Amino acid sequence: MSSEALERREAVRTDRRARYERMVEIRAVEDKIRGLFAEGLVHGTTHTCQGQEAVAVGVASALRPTDVVCCTYRGHGHALALGLTPLQVCGEIMGRVVGSIGGVGGSMHLCDMSVGLMPTFAIVGAGVPVAAGAALTAQVRGTDDVAVSLFGDGAANIGAFHEGINLAAIWKLPAVFICENNQYGEYSPIAATTPIENIAERAGAYGIPGEVVDGQDVDAVCAAVEAAAARARAGEGPSLLEMKTYRYAGHSRSDTAPYRPEGELEEWYERDPIDTFGARLVAEELLAVEEIVEIEASAKALAAEVAEQCMAAPAPGVGSMFENVLV
Amino acid sequence: MSSEALERREAVRTDRRARYERMVEIRAVEDKIRGLFAEGLVHGTTHTCQGQEAVAVGVASALRPTDVVCCTYRGHGHALALGLTPLQVCGEIMGRVVGSIGGVGGSMHLCDMSVGLMPTFAIVGAGVPVAAGAALTAQVRGTDDVAVSLFGDGAANIGAFHEGINLAAIWKLPAVFICENNQYGEYSPIAATTPIENIAERAGAYGIPGEVVDGQDVDAVCAAVEAAAARARAGEGPSLLEMKTYRYAGHSRSDTAPYRPEGELEEWYERDPIDTFGARLVAEELLAVEEIVEIEASAKALAAEVAEQCMAAPAPGVGSMFENVLV
Amino acid sequence: MARMRMNQAIAAAIADEMRENPDVVVFGEDVAVAEGPFKTSAGLLAEFGPLRVRDTPIAEMGFMGAAVGAAATGLRPVTEIMFVEFLGVALDQLVTEAAKFSYLSGGAVNVPMVMRASVGAGLGFGCQHSQVMESWIVGAPGLKIAVVSGPHNAYGLTRAAIRDDNPVAVLEPRVLYAGRGDVTTGPEGIIPLGRAAQPAGGDDVTLVCCGSTVRTALEAASGAEGWSADVIDLQTLQPWDAEAVLDSVRRTGRLATVEECPYSGGWGADIVSTVATEAFGDLSAPPIRLTAPDVHVPFGKELEQRYLPNAGYVAAQVGELLATGESPPHWWERDGALA
Amino acid sequence: MARMRMNQAIAAAIADEMRENPDVVVFGEDVAVAEGPFKTSAGLLAEFGPLRVRDTPIAEMGFMGAAVGAAATGLRPVTEIMFVEFLGVALDQLVTEAAKFSYLSGGAVNVPMVMRASVGAGLGFGCQHSQVMESWIVGAPGLKIAVVSGPHNAYGLTRAAIRDDNPVAVLEPRVLYAGRGDVTTGPEGIIPLGRAAQPAGGDDVTLVCCGSTVRTALEAASGAEGWSADVIDLQTLQPWDAEAVLDSVRRTGRLATVEECPYSGGWGADIVSTVATEAFGDLSAPPIRLTAPDVHVPFGKELEQRYLPNAGYVAAQVGELLATGESPPHWWERDGALA
Ligand SMILES: Cc1ncc(C[n+]2csc(CCOP(=O)(O)OP(=O)(O)O)c2C)c(N)n1
Ligand SMILES: Cc1ncc(C[n+]2csc(CCOP(=O)(O)OP(=O)(O)O)c2C)c(N)n1
Ligand SMILES: [Mg+2]
Ligand SMILES: [Mg+2]
């Protein structure tokens, strides 16, 4: 699996067209996952990231596979962007042995260290100090790797955010803290829980750079993360980046997002990260208009095929729950 | 006890000379306590506040007895300023039934709700959200009371600080958050743990006013707290005040403060809050120079007498540990 | 008497208390506008308004601490920890502050707050959202703990918890929210904390359970052949009803606990140990515990069901105990169990 | 072999591991420049420098999380929670993250971190700084827990904990830090996790203890008249050495645990319950637990000593158990006890 994941990662790192394709793939896989849950074919819950694909792909494009990424339950897009295969991701979500941790974790728990994906965090904020710790390893060992923590707008109000960033700042750790501000924490609009406009302003509380980034623009995301990572690699310490983005679907499986003001979703659709980037690539002549439909169609076909493969794959046996408890 | 405490409180609220006397009293009581511990006459540990008396008295002077105050283990000065008697305070520290909670708490655990002193907090940061909750009571009930949280510079790095202030900010609670920046968290200078110069700057992270105050000037403290409390009472929400101050003694009983840079203590002595305020009162002709020595002498005598009284008072009986566990 | 789902019973209990007492307030993540992720606060915002029913930021330490402060100054806050694991970021406020405040104020301050939390496995939420974690709070003098097992006692215990002057944790098995049952509403429906219920009676064994395992135990008992069981739903885990359990064991001579959690550190150890000490001479067979293994809650429908002790397992283990007079091995200790 | 205080033994253990393995790093509040509030990291900063030995901000969640991240990526962090109660603001990282990471990575990630914490009563620190709170962590699959009882095993268990590839909590009774004893240093001094020690042998009762109660049990046993005891120092509380305990009880027929904490939720319940299940037929008297009462740790020298089970109490209770064959009441249940 690892070498395929690494190849997939290399693709987005080096090729902007691959970034486009990966965003389309993420959308297709997430749509498929939502569909499977809606049909009642999968147990549990899921948190998809339609609309946020530019953040996932932009971040993965800017980082090296030896960099470490701590992301959340809303991490399918990041996992795919970092290189995990749709089979690894869907397999895990669907609880099959082909999943990235063998199907015992489910939708909130992906992992593949070969491309730097730490076990994803189902506890809000928990990944922030953990990323600081991964950055500590790089600092102690003198490598120039960085650790990245991705978290939501809602997570910026939890203690671990504060403690983790402060620790990284005082130790000048090579970390990049990235807030995916998708406007909602669960069903609450950010303004109901957060008394400031931009999470990035909180950087000031730690004496580190803070920047608001257009999270719908994969190029902008990539550039901002590259710059922050370069700073971190150079020993200048962490940064806080805020990606303004939007999730098209509800918070989780059961959420129909009735709390959204009318027209809001539609406004964001107009700045769809995939469409925007596709148009840009067309303008740059890196992509032909006809290819767009093909890419989408083949991503959908892939997602459907992978779902079938997962359906056909075995579920983990009873013994699996006893594995990896104690080393 | 309550009515004596209330009278003592009224004194500092209305009379600047009483504030001077109270600061002297706090110094004398704290010195006595340190002495008792040094002699091995008291069990456990203690955290005294010599040098920080202006904060304690300034805060108490600015608040009403119906306001609620959450302070820390370094709370003897606050307790005395709020009105608790030296007997209540020393009795508790020495583990006697005359103590404010009957002697079962010890140095870190004072309380007297008749003057608004909540159980003092031995867990760093814990009082911050609790004060937000007390402010919530005022808001829900529509009173114009405020709740005050006092905490150290070190506490500004803990999650509860972040969560408590953010909550108060978003709900516009009538709270005042006061950081007593005495330059050290335990044995660590603030610069070793906190990547910014002024804790007050963190107010920006919550969209509330932040202000640096000279914590060695009781008038300045009182004025700043009055203004912040007025704002809170008017429904305009919380503020963050940072009192720049210094603790003359070590962190706790056993600490001789070897980590202090040479000359630092002496510099702060020059701006001693008691001396400064005494001189000001003399200049204002509210105090005669001769009285200064008298006031100090009688405070020392009082502290000694109270210590004797406590020594003579009974320790709580075995039954006391079973009281107030479940209501 | 009304028929309702367990989440509705909880909302009804809170509403009834809010009607009676203006000091009762409710806050937590998405409990107001969205009426709770599990709809356990349906209707509260509409009826009681935004001053008393509030959404919080994602900040369990913050709002749990706010509950302590509010309770200490006169309100009766009911807070919601969406999944009990999130208490891992807020435990200090419940155990080290709330539970000790009365003591630390010489009795001057009560902290009548309720921490409701959804708990347990069975819905495929994975290992960070499927535990019960009573162990985090059982060893905390000053704190009461109720565990609800259906609409009826969810209503009654929730009301009792809100009326109690101590901090009370109410654990709500998530898997039961949608289940319907008859509920005695109104003041008669209030169920005192500290008292067990006995949903089934019998002679041969005492089955002690609570929360999600009550139905497991009942199902096991009702299908039993050749033996009958006293089924004791503890309802309150702290303080638990030792008298009810001891009385029953003195009669049946045998004890089995049915627990949702891993063997190590589970609540049943306290029960078994106390019974072994206090009723040693009355025991005619070793007391046993039927629990999950010492592993993380697995994802996957079948695995998760396998993880939990089910009625068939309970019946089989108890049957073996009765037949042999010896404690049967746990399922995961048997040959070939993990294949 | 060297004679040293327990805090020195701990510092020596860490230093020896740091010398052997450059991945071992140390951080916590005031552990570097000040060498630890209890001097358990004396000499480390001087020898290993500021890259590997660091003071943190007051942010237990932050640095515990950092330990998880560092351990998951190859370091072996040793962190210090100054008083175990502070884990109440950081529990999530230890129990819900560290202990589950191996599982949640399909075995790809180990988290070889150590969380050292000072625990227990006896020094007059009041009720928020005097508990042991094992209950917060015992019910956590994936986590090991050691409890040290003197310089010798403090050295040996600390080294074993640092070498272990799982997250390990090491609880250090504060009251023992200054005590001196002979320590086997070097590789032979390493004490494997999971194995109990037996500091005294006897025939009539098995006294199971750990941490601060080991000396209590030993003192009780050595002063006993008419009976002798197997004293078993568990050393590791998770996983605990059931074999050693069961073997002993099978021989003595009687069991008493000696615990520092309140009765409810104490570690002894797991021991008693397991023994009652597994060795029921071998017990000739009820197994008993000698614990503190279900109250907060009081301040005040005498009260605090009264709160803790002492040797005289242990001897008296065991004596009564042996004489009567019945479980004696706890001290606080006896007439006039609270007067
Ligand atoms: C400590 C904790 N509290 C609450 C939750 C429940 N929860 C899961 S996701 C979520 C919303 C998070 O919002 P945000 O950080 O904006 O991330 P998003 O879901 O929008 O990506 C909440 C409250 C949790 N998992 N952990
Ligand atoms: C959560 C927590 N962590 C650590 C401690 C130990 N501790 C007690 S006081 C203290 C220093 C606090 O510094 P600061 O906030 O500046 O207050 P000061 O003592 O200077 O008044 C520490 C680390 C604690 N009591 N609680
Ligand atoms: Mg969000
Ligand atoms: Mg300080």
Side-chain angles (χ1 to χ4, degrees):
Chain A
M1 208 53 81
S2 292
S3 70
E4 189 181 348
L6 273 172
E7 268 169 40
R8 283 169 49 83
R9 177 62 167 285
E10 210 43 34
V12 294
R13 278 175 39 78
T14 52
D15 179 359
R16 285 174 73 231
R17 198 186 139 108
R19 293 177 194 167
Y20 175 78
E21 289 171 359
R22 190 64 53 82
M23 287 165 64
V24 175
E25 177 189 288
I26 293 171
R27 178 77 52 91
V29 169
E30 289 287 62
D31 285 346
K32 184 74 206 172
I33 288 166
R34 265 191 87 75
L36 292 168
F37 274 90
E39 286 176 68
L41 294 173
V42 195
H43 191 42
T45 189
T46 194
H47 309 78
T48 60
C49 72
Q50 292 95 333
Q52 304 181 210
E53 296 87 351
V55 181
V57 174
V59 169
S61 307
L63 299 176
R64 306 173 184 164
T66 50
D67 296 330
V68 167
V69 177
C70 295
C71 69
T72 74
Y73 49 88
R74 200 178 304 287
H76 312 162
H78 290 285
L80 292 166
L82 289 170
L84 277 78
T85 62
L87 189 67
Q88 275 181 294
V89 171
C90 295
E92 193 52 47
I93 296 168
M94 296 169 70
R96 309 296 154 130
V97 295
V98 292
S100 73
I101 64 165
V104 296
S107 175
M108 300 201 269
H109 299 295
L110 306 174
C111 174
D112 186 344
M113 293 301 284
S114 75
V115 287
L117 182 66
M118 289 272 262
T120 55
F121 292 84
I123 304 295
V124 166
V128 179
V130 174
L136 178 65
T137 299
Q139 190 183 66
V140 169
R141 292 191 162 168
T143 69
D144 66 348
D145 293 331
V146 305
V148 171
S149 165
L150 283 144
F151 50 86
D153 45 293
N157 295 324
I158 205 160
F161 163 94
H162 180 65
E163 296 191 15
I165 298 182
N166 187 63
L167 188 70
I170 196 76
W171 284 353
K172 278 198 178 301
L173 296 176
V176 182
F177 298 100
I178 304 178
C179 178
E180 281 189 87
N181 181 349
N182 63 7
Q183 317 300 324
Y184 291 88
E186 233 181 55
Y187 321 132
S188 293
I190 178 172
T193 58
T194 310
I196 53 169
E197 176 81 17
N198 298 313
I199 304 290
E201 294 165 33
R202 291 193 167 164
Y206 313 105
I208 63 171
E211 190 188 341
V212 173
V213 180
D214 179 359
Q216 303 311 81
D217 179 345
V218 67
D219 288 327
V221 171
C222 183
V225 177
E226 266 175 354
R231 194 184 132 86
R233 294 189 213 283
E236 291 163 40
S239 314
L240 174 61
L241 305 178
E242 177 181 4
M243 308 293 172
K244 300 281 192 189
T245 184
Y246 196 79
R247 68 163 151 72
Y248 293 162
H251 166 68
S252 64
R253 174 183 200 162
S254 54
D255 176 27
T256 55
Y259 44 79
R260 271 206 267 252
E262 210 169 322
E264 186 181 83
L265 178 61
E266 292 66 28
E267 259 175 53
W268 282 90
Y269 275 153
E270 277 170 31
R271 301 208 301 111
D272 181 79
I274 298 177
D275 292 351
T276 317
F277 190 51
R280 187 178 303 158
L281 292 185
V282 170
E284 292 177 21
E285 294 182 10
L286 291 169
L287 187 73
V289 179
E290 316 78 65
E291 288 177 297
I292 291 181
V293 185
E294 277 164 42
I295 291 171
E296 283 176 2
S298 77
K300 273 187 195 150
L302 174 71
E305 188 195 311
V306 164
E308 289 301 323
Q309 270 180 282
C310 291
M311 292 293 208
V318 174
S320 66
M321 76 172 95
F322 295 85
E323 281 162 26
N324 306 315
V325 176
L326 285 175
V327 180
Chain B
M1 208 52 80
S2 292
S3 71
E4 191 180 348
L6 272 172
E7 268 169 41
R8 283 168 50 82
R9 177 62 168 284
E10 210 43 34
V12 293
R13 278 175 39 78
T14 52
D15 179 0
R16 286 174 74 231
R17 198 185 139 108
R19 292 176 194 169
Y20 176 77
E21 290 171 0
R22 190 64 53 82
M23 287 165 65
V24 174
E25 176 189 290
I26 292 171
R27 178 76 54 91
V29 169
E30 290 287 62
D31 285 347
K32 184 74 204 169
I33 288 166
R34 264 191 88 73
L36 292 168
F37 273 89
E39 287 176 68
L41 294 173
V42 196
H43 190 43
T45 190
T46 193
H47 309 78
T48 60
C49 72
Q50 292 95 333
Q52 303 181 212
E53 296 88 350
V55 181
V57 174
V59 169
S61 307
L63 299 176
R64 307 173 184 164
T66 50
D67 296 331
V68 167
V69 178
C70 296
C71 69
T72 74
Y73 49 88
R74 200 178 303 288
H76 312 162
H78 290 285
L80 292 166
L82 290 169
L84 277 78
T85 62
L87 189 67
Q88 276 181 292
V89 171
C90 295
E92 193 52 47
I93 296 168
M94 297 169 72
R96 309 297 154 129
V97 294
V98 293
S100 73
I101 64 164
V104 295
S107 175
M108 300 201 269
H109 298 295
L110 306 173
C111 175
D112 185 344
M113 293 301 285
S114 76
V115 287
L117 182 66
M118 289 272 262
T120 54
F121 292 83
I123 303 295
V124 166
V128 179
V130 174
L136 178 65
T137 299
Q139 189 183 66
V140 169
R141 292 191 163 168
T143 69
D144 67 349
D145 293 332
V146 305
V148 170
S149 165
L150 284 144
F151 50 87
D153 45 293
N157 294 325
I158 205 160
F161 163 94
H162 181 64
E163 296 191 14
I165 298 182
N166 187 63
L167 188 70
I170 196 76
W171 285 353
K172 278 197 178 301
L173 296 176
V176 183
F177 298 100
I178 304 178
C179 178
E180 281 188 89
N181 181 349
N182 63 6
Q183 317 300 324
Y184 291 89
E186 234 183 52
Y187 321 131
S188 292
I190 179 173
T193 59
T194 311
I196 53 169
E197 176 82 17
N198 298 313
I199 303 291
E201 293 165 35
R202 291 192 167 165
Y206 314 105
I208 63 172
E211 191 187 340
V212 174
V213 180
D214 179 359
Q216 303 311 80
D217 179 346
V218 66
D219 289 326
V221 171
C222 183
V225 177
E226 266 174 355
R231 193 184 132 87
R233 294 189 214 283
E236 291 163 39
S239 312
L240 174 62
L241 306 178
E242 177 182 4
M243 308 292 172
K244 299 282 193 189
T245 183
Y246 196 78
R247 68 163 151 72
Y248 294 162
H251 166 69
S252 63
R253 175 186 200 161
S254 54
D255 176 27
T256 56
Y259 44 80
R260 272 207 268 253
E262 210 170 321
E264 185 182 83
L265 177 61
E266 292 66 28
E267 258 174 53
W268 282 92
Y269 276 153
E270 277 170 30
R271 301 208 301 110
D272 181 79
I274 297 178
D275 292 352
T276 317
F277 190 50
R280 187 178 304 159
L281 291 185
V282 170
E284 291 176 21
E285 294 182 8
L286 290 169
L287 188 71
V289 180
E290 317 77 66
E291 289 177 298
I292 290 180
V293 185
E294 278 164 40
I295 290 171
E296 283 176 4
S298 77
K300 273 186 193 148
L302 174 71
E305 188 195 311
V306 164
E308 289 301 321
Q309 269 179 282
C310 291
M311 292 294 208
V318 174
S320 66
M321 75 173 96
F322 295 85
E323 281 163 26
N324 306 316
V325 177
L326 284 175
V327 180
Chain C
M1 187 85 109
R3 195 157 177 84
M4 48 181 105
R5 294 186 193 273
M6 190 172 89
N7 54 0
Q8 294 170 324
I10 293 164
I14 301 171
D16 283 346
E17 287 299 321
M18 293 186 83
R19 282 179 204 118
E20 281 194 17
N21 189 342
D23 289 331
V24 179
V25 296
V26 169
F27 49 86
E29 291 157 20
D30 289 312
V31 299
V33 177
E35 306 193 317
F38 304 107
K39 296 286 171 205
T40 47
S41 41
L44 300 184
L45 176 64
E47 181 170 351
F48 303 103
L51 206 58
R52 292 177 66 192
V53 182
R54 300 179 185 225
D55 289 322
T56 65
I58 306 173
E60 285 81 3
M61 184 72 88
F63 74 72
M64 195 63 57
V68 177
T73 51
L75 298 183
R76 303 184 86 84
V78 179
T79 63
E80 174 172 305
I81 293 283
M82 201 184 300
F83 288 73
V84 77
E85 283 90 345
F86 310 161
L87 204 54
V89 306
L91 197 65
D92 180 69
Q93 289 292 344
L94 187 65
V95 169
T96 310
E97 316 303 338
K100 297 194 196 306
F101 254 44
S102 176
Y103 184 81
L104 288 179
S105 64
V109 174
N110 294 341
V111 184
M113 65 185 266
V114 173
M115 186 250 7
R116 298 176 37 246
S118 88
V119 302
L123 297 179
F125 285 128
C127 78
Q128 293 182 333
H129 284 67
S130 299
Q131 301 166 97
V132 186
M133 297 319 292
E134 316 91 340
S135 58
W136 285 356
I137 52 177
V138 285
L143 181 71
K144 293 186 180 178
I145 309 170
V147 189
V148 308
S149 59
H152 177 71
N153 71 6
Y155 179 87
L157 294 167
T158 301
R159 286 201 67 174
I162 298 172
R163 299 166 91 89
D164 200 283
D165 281 336
N166 299 286
V168 183
V170 181
L171 308 183
E172 304 167 357
R174 209 171 296 120
V175 76
L176 303 178
Y177 279 136
R180 278 183 225 272
D182 289 328
V183 176
T184 306
T185 52
E188 318 79 62
I190 298 172
I191 297 174
L193 298 179
R195 264 194 250 151
Q198 190 182 321
D203 300 317
D204 303 300
V205 64
T206 303
L207 291 182
V208 179
C209 47
C210 70
S212 71
T213 65
V214 174
R215 61 178 189 182
T216 313
L218 282 173
E219 203 183 315
S222 77
E225 280 181 26
W227 54 270
S228 66
D230 261 4
V231 176
I232 297 194
D233 175 356
L234 287 179
Q235 299 196 120
T236 301
L237 212 49
Q238 193 57 255
W240 61 278
D241 192 344
E243 206 182 303
V245 174
L246 287 168
D247 281 354
S248 171
V249 174
R250 291 204 170 102
R251 220 166 35 72
T252 64
R254 299 184 194 85
L255 169 68
T257 60
V258 189
E259 306 169 49
E260 170 165 347
C261 286
Y263 181 78
S264 292
W267 58 263
D270 263 31
I271 313 297
V272 166
S273 132
T274 297
V275 168
T277 300
E278 309 278 325
F280 183 71
D282 299 300
L283 283 169
S284 58
I288 62 172
R289 295 177 55 210
L290 308 172
T291 71
D294 279 352
V295 303
H296 305 299
V297 182
F299 175 71
K301 210 166 198 155
E302 277 149 46
L303 274 189
E304 198 178 14
Q305 289 309 324
R306 192 82 185 79
Y307 167 87
L308 294 167
N310 62 28
Y313 174 62
V314 172
Q317 296 288 100
V318 171
E320 197 171 326
L321 175 77
L322 294 177
T324 64
E326 315 242 310
S327 66
H330 302 293
W331 67 261
W332 58 89
E333 293 171 342
R334 296 178 188 253
D335 279 347
L338 312 190
Chain D
M1 187 87 111
R3 196 159 177 83
M4 48 180 104
R5 294 186 194 274
M6 191 172 87
N7 54 1
Q8 294 169 325
I10 292 164
I14 300 171
D16 283 346
E17 287 300 322
M18 293 185 83
R19 282 179 204 119
E20 280 194 19
N21 189 341
D23 289 331
V24 179
V25 297
V26 169
F27 48 86
E29 291 157 19
D30 289 312
V31 299
V33 177
E35 306 192 316
F38 304 107
K39 296 286 171 206
T40 47
S41 41
L44 300 185
L45 176 63
E47 180 171 350
F48 303 104
L51 206 58
R52 292 177 66 193
V53 183
R54 300 179 184 223
D55 289 321
T56 65
I58 306 173
E60 284 81 4
M61 184 73 88
F63 75 72
M64 194 63 57
V68 177
T73 51
L75 298 184
R76 304 183 86 84
V78 179
T79 63
E80 174 172 304
I81 293 284
M82 201 184 301
F83 287 74
V84 77
E85 283 90 345
F86 310 162
L87 204 54
V89 306
L91 197 64
D92 180 68
Q93 289 292 344
L94 188 65
V95 170
T96 310
E97 315 303 338
K100 297 195 198 305
F101 254 44
S102 176
Y103 184 80
L104 288 179
S105 64
V109 175
N110 294 341
V111 184
M113 65 183 266
V114 173
M115 186 245 15
R116 297 176 38 246
S118 88
V119 303
L123 296 179
F125 285 128
C127 78
Q128 292 182 335
H129 284 67
S130 299
Q131 301 167 96
V132 185
M133 296 319 293
E134 315 92 340
S135 57
W136 285 356
I137 52 177
V138 285
L143 181 70
K144 293 186 179 177
I145 308 170
V147 189
V148 308
S149 59
H152 176 71
N153 71 5
Y155 178 87
L157 294 166
T158 301
R159 287 200 66 175
I162 298 172
R163 299 165 91 88
D164 201 282
D165 281 336
N166 299 286
V168 183
V170 181
L171 307 182
E172 305 168 355
R174 209 171 295 120
V175 75
L176 304 178
Y177 278 136
R180 276 184 227 271
D182 290 328
V183 175
T184 306
T185 51
E188 317 79 64
I190 297 171
I191 297 174
L193 298 179
R195 264 193 251 152
Q198 190 183 322
D203 301 318
D204 303 299
V205 64
T206 302
L207 291 181
V208 179
C209 47
C210 71
S212 71
T213 64
V214 174
R215 61 177 189 183
T216 313
L218 283 173
E219 203 184 314
S222 76
E225 282 182 25
W227 54 271
S228 66
D230 260 4
V231 176
I232 296 192
D233 175 356
L234 287 178
Q235 299 195 118
T236 300
L237 212 49
Q238 193 58 255
W240 61 278
D241 191 344
E243 206 182 302
V245 174
L246 288 167
D247 280 352
S248 170
V249 173
R250 291 203 170 101
R251 221 165 35 73
T252 64
R254 300 184 194 85
L255 169 69
T257 59
V258 190
E259 306 169 50
E260 169 165 346
C261 287
Y263 181 78
S264 292
W267 58 262
D270 263 30
I271 313 297
V272 167
S273 131
T274 297
V275 168
T277 300
E278 308 279 325
F280 184 71
D282 299 300
L283 283 168
S284 57
I288 61 171
R289 295 177 55 210
L290 308 171
T291 70
D294 279 352
V295 304
H296 305 299
V297 182
F299 175 71
K301 211 167 196 152
E302 277 149 46
L303 275 190
E304 199 179 13
Q305 288 310 324
R306 192 82 185 80
Y307 166 88
L308 295 166
N310 61 28
Y313 174 62
V314 171
Q317 296 288 101
V318 171
E320 197 171 326
L321 175 75
L322 293 177
T324 65
E326 315 241 309
S327 66
H330 303 293
W331 66 262
W332 58 89
E333 292 170 344
R334 296 177 187 253
D335 279 347
L338 312 190

